[in-house]
Amino acid sequence: MFGYIRPLKSELKLKEYNAYRSVYCGFCHALGKAGPFLRLSLSYDFTFFSILALSLEEEFCGFCQKRCPVKPFKKYGCVKDNEKFEYAAALSIMMLYEKANDNLSDREHILSSLLLKGYLKKRYRKAADKYKEEAQILTYFTKNQKEAEKNFTSLDSACHSTADTLSKIFSKLSKNQNKSELLSRLGYNLGRWVYLIDALDDLEDDLKKGRFNPLILRFKGESDLEKIKDFAKGELSVSASMAGDCIEALELYNFSPIIENIVYFGLYNMQKAVLSKSRKERKLIVNG
Amino acid sequence: MDNPYRILGISENATDDEIRDAYRELAKKYHPDSFEGDKEYANSKMAEINEAYDLIMKTRRSSNSSASSYADIRRLIQNGRMAEAQELLDGVSVSLRNAEWYFLKGSIFYSRGWFDDAYSHFTKATQLDPSNREYAAALNNLNMRRSGMYPGGYRTVNHTSGASACNLCSNLICCDCLCEMCGGDLIPCC
């Protein structure tokens, strides 16, 4: 995940914005507890995951005040430490570890990946012991991804491994079978969306450097970039709208306006930002 | 036995629904419990009607076997048994694949979240059978979602870039964030 799933700030109420920040800060603290350097891996995507996990529980653990190590002179509102944060942190450790492994097998960023792997090794083992199924899902993910990219048959089959991984992880957020099914569909559509928007974001770079990109392969021989972008925008919107359907059907106990904001506005807004012409324009759109 | 259609009092071109209605009408009339008159006559009449109805239904079902195999697949899809439905669909030889085949295959892709493949199959289905409303509706649904009109209505957002009165608060918050990053504070309450 790459930080694409975030709210559209201008559509949030102040109290919702504060609540979002509290989750963000709270999750950052949870990451710090698992390993001080892990705070650097804090992302909007995992914040979304934490909010969703929290919103599915009837009981809410409440807020507290904590100091931020980056800005230590003031206390900030935080969501209290809870098992959902711990779970999301474990997932993010396992994902980073797989990413480092993947880099090493590709012989990319060798030094940093070795350092990262060394740092995460014990923490990975601890997390993987506690969440065995999740660890397995994530290990398969990188394998499947590579295979799908090697034998590209269709755009959807290339999206499948990311989408399916998220679908499996999301479905574990609820024990209720109905909800679990909805979450699985939500995860699938969000996963497809994330994979596609990442492909769209890298489109021009990949084209220049001749790297793998599912959108380029989908339009073999097509030189009109605008046509590819238009197509990608359409596919992204379909997945986003499907994710919206799932959110509408889910019963959310807390933070529902924030989650709705992210899925109904944030995703479309990010599409716009990625399709923007310049960096400056993109920044303006992302910040709402 | 007489012509089964004549026993039920309908023409041979009658639709399945008409046959069912005619059968119900007669069964009500000749039911031994409600028939006023000779019980024996009612019983024999009832047996005759039943036999005629069964015969018609049986011949009708076997004559359009290809349509009924799709009906089975439809039922599988409706019950969410996608893997089985797909297996049956893939078993249909390429020369026999009609508009409905493409529609059903597209529906499976759709339920799986493979919208690019679903789109191409729905498109093919509507090309093969432009008058079918079901296929057109499926394609239209995807087109709506593609255009970003969905979720529509009050959920659409107008983007105003730069400073305007509409997003005054969020601009202030952004300024506040920026100030806070540098150690200052524009809005002390947040």
Side-chain angles (χ1 to χ4, degrees):
Chain A
M1 295 203 196
F2 320 93
Y4 292 116
I5 303 177
R6 54 168 106 182
L8 175 55
K9 236 193 257 175
S10 56
E11 284 288 320
L12 282 174
K13 284 182 187 165
L14 263 178
K15 65 173 180 182
E16 290 157 9
Y17 176 72
N18 286 336
Y20 182 78
R21 270 190 60 159
S22 304
V23 177
Y24 189 76
C25 291
F27 178 53
C28 185
H29 276 281
L31 280 173
K33 221 172 93 183
F37 287 110
L38 281 172
R39 281 182 190 258
L40 296 172
S41 75
L42 176 65
S43 71
Y44 288 107
D45 304 313
F46 270 101
T47 309
F48 172 73
F49 183 78
S50 311
I51 291 194
L52 184 65
L54 286 171
S55 75
L56 290 165
E57 299 293 315
E58 255 173 282
E59 304 267 312
F60 177 58
C61 53
F63 297 99
C64 65
Q65 298 263 318
K66 277 180 184 167
R67 277 183 206 284
C68 174
V70 186
K71 294 172 276 179
F73 303 112
K74 201 183 133 185
K75 282 192 170 177
Y76 290 88
C78 277
V79 170
K80 276 185 195 157
D81 217 3
N82 58 70
E83 54 181 12
K84 300 292 168 196
F85 281 163
E86 191 258 349
Y87 180 57
L91 282 178
S92 100
I93 289 172
M94 292 193 276
M95 221 154 163
L96 272 176
Y97 186 79
E98 297 296 346
K99 179 79 194 146
N101 261 340
D102 188 40
N103 279 343
L104 285 175
S105 69
D106 286 348
R107 302 190 183 285
E108 281 174 359
H109 317 293
I110 292 183
L111 190 66
S112 58
S113 300
L114 271 176
L115 279 173
L116 183 62
K117 200 178 165 184
Y119 181 69
L120 289 177
K121 205 161 191 177
K122 269 189 188 162
R123 297 183 168 89
Y124 174 79
R125 203 153 296 157
K126 199 175 146 198
D129 272 349
K130 192 162 177 190
Y131 304 108
K132 288 194 179 83
E133 280 175 52
E134 283 82 350
Q136 220 169 19
I137 293 169
L138 290 171
T139 311
Y140 278 123
F141 161 58
T142 38
K143 256 188 221 162
N144 290 341
Q145 183 74 53
K146 267 189 188 160
E147 241 158 65
E149 291 187 354
K150 245 185 235 164
N151 328 309
F152 180 89
T153 49
S154 77
L155 182 73
D156 289 323
S157 67
C159 297
H160 182 72
S161 81
T162 307
D164 192 45
T165 307
L166 247 71
S167 152
K168 281 176 184 151
I169 301 265
F170 272 49
S171 73
K172 289 188 172 298
L173 282 177
S174 177
K175 289 197 174 63
N176 176 311
Q177 202 198 339
N178 263 343
K179 281 190 182 179
S180 174
E181 233 159 72
L182 274 172
L183 284 165
S184 149
R185 261 175 46 210
L186 174 67
Y188 196 96
N189 286 307
L190 278 180
R192 184 175 187 268
W193 187 87
V194 166
Y195 184 77
L196 277 177
I197 201 162
D198 188 46
L200 178 62
D201 208 4
D202 295 341
L203 182 64
E204 275 159 55
D205 253 14
D206 288 346
L207 205 58
K208 266 182 217 156
K209 294 177 182 156
R211 280 190 303 219
F212 171 88
N213 187 308
L215 288 169
I216 298 172
L217 287 179
R218 164 73 170 72
F219 283 92
K220 241 177 184 171
E222 175 70 56
S223 55
D224 186 4
L225 262 185
E226 286 310 307
K227 204 176 160 191
I228 303 183
K229 283 184 180 174
D230 240 33
F231 165 82
K233 194 181 163 196
E235 286 302 310
L236 283 166
S237 299
V238 177
S239 283
S241 74
M242 291 291 177
D245 287 358
C246 299
I247 287 293
E248 202 156 325
L250 268 174
E251 195 180 0
L252 302 172
Y253 297 104
N254 310 295
F255 302 118
S256 66
I258 302 176
I259 292 175
E260 282 164 11
N261 174 297
I262 293 175
V263 177
Y264 296 144
F265 303 141
L267 299 183
Y268 292 94
N269 190 56
M270 188 52 82
Q271 283 169 218
K272 239 182 209 173
V274 165
L275 286 167
S276 63
K277 299 272 183 300
S278 66
R279 275 210 183 155
K280 206 174 155 192
E281 194 189 333
R282 179 179 177 144
K283 213 168 179 182
L284 270 175
I285 298 177
V286 167
N287 289 332
Chain B
M1 189 177 140
D2 265 3
N3 181 345
Y5 287 96
R6 204 180 307 152
I7 292 173
L8 293 184
I10 45 175
S11 88
E12 295 194 11
N13 304 325
T15 64
D16 288 6
D17 284 344
E18 284 171 47
I19 297 170
R20 206 167 300 134
D21 287 345
Y23 166 73
R24 274 204 199 121
E25 201 72 24
L26 287 174
K28 219 190 272 169
K29 187 174 165 192
Y30 289 108
H31 197 276
D33 290 347
S34 56
F35 187 71
E36 292 166 6
D38 193 354
K39 292 280 176 206
E40 202 133 22
Y41 173 68
N43 268 333
S44 70
K45 195 76 186 159
M46 200 61 210
E48 204 179 24
I49 295 165
N50 278 334
E51 201 180 344
Y53 179 71
D54 286 345
L55 191 71
I56 293 174
M57 280 307 166
K58 211 169 154 191
T59 45
R60 287 207 166 199
R61 227 171 275 151
S62 61
S63 66
N64 27 340
S65 60
S66 82
S68 83
S69 85
Y70 282 146
D72 290 346
I73 294 174
R74 255 173 206 271
R75 211 162 304 127
L76 285 176
I77 292 176
Q78 273 158 15
N79 295 334
R81 289 155 70 183
M82 297 297 165
E84 292 158 78
Q86 180 159 13
E87 211 168 283
L88 284 175
L89 275 179
D90 289 342
V92 177
S93 73
V94 180
S95 56
L96 286 175
R97 293 178 181 177
N98 57 7
E100 191 179 16
W101 186 90
Y102 281 99
F103 169 71
L104 292 174
K105 182 95 180 174
S107 305
I108 293 177
F109 279 131
Y110 184 87
S111 74
R112 236 205 257 161
W114 291 35
F115 303 117
D116 186 22
D117 289 332
Y119 190 80
S120 59
H121 279 80
F122 286 157
T123 310
K124 181 95 189 188
T126 46
Q127 276 167 2
L128 290 172
D129 186 359
S131 61
N132 190 307
R133 286 203 186 158
E134 193 181 17
Y135 311 158
L139 187 64
N140 191 33
N141 167 38
L142 263 185
N143 269 328
M144 287 274 285
R145 288 177 187 271
R146 271 185 166 217
S147 69
M149 280 164 63
Y150 194 99
Y154 66 96
R155 278 188 196 134
T156 49
V157 188
N158 283 325
H159 292 278
T160 41
S161 53
S164 79
C166 301
N167 54 8
L168 188 71
C169 287
S170 65
N171 283 346
L172 276 173
I173 296 166
C174 292
C175 292
D176 183 46
C177 292
L178 289 172
C179 282
E180 278 171 353
M181 259 159 58
C182 308
D185 202 350
L186 184 65
I187 313 169
C189 66
C190 74

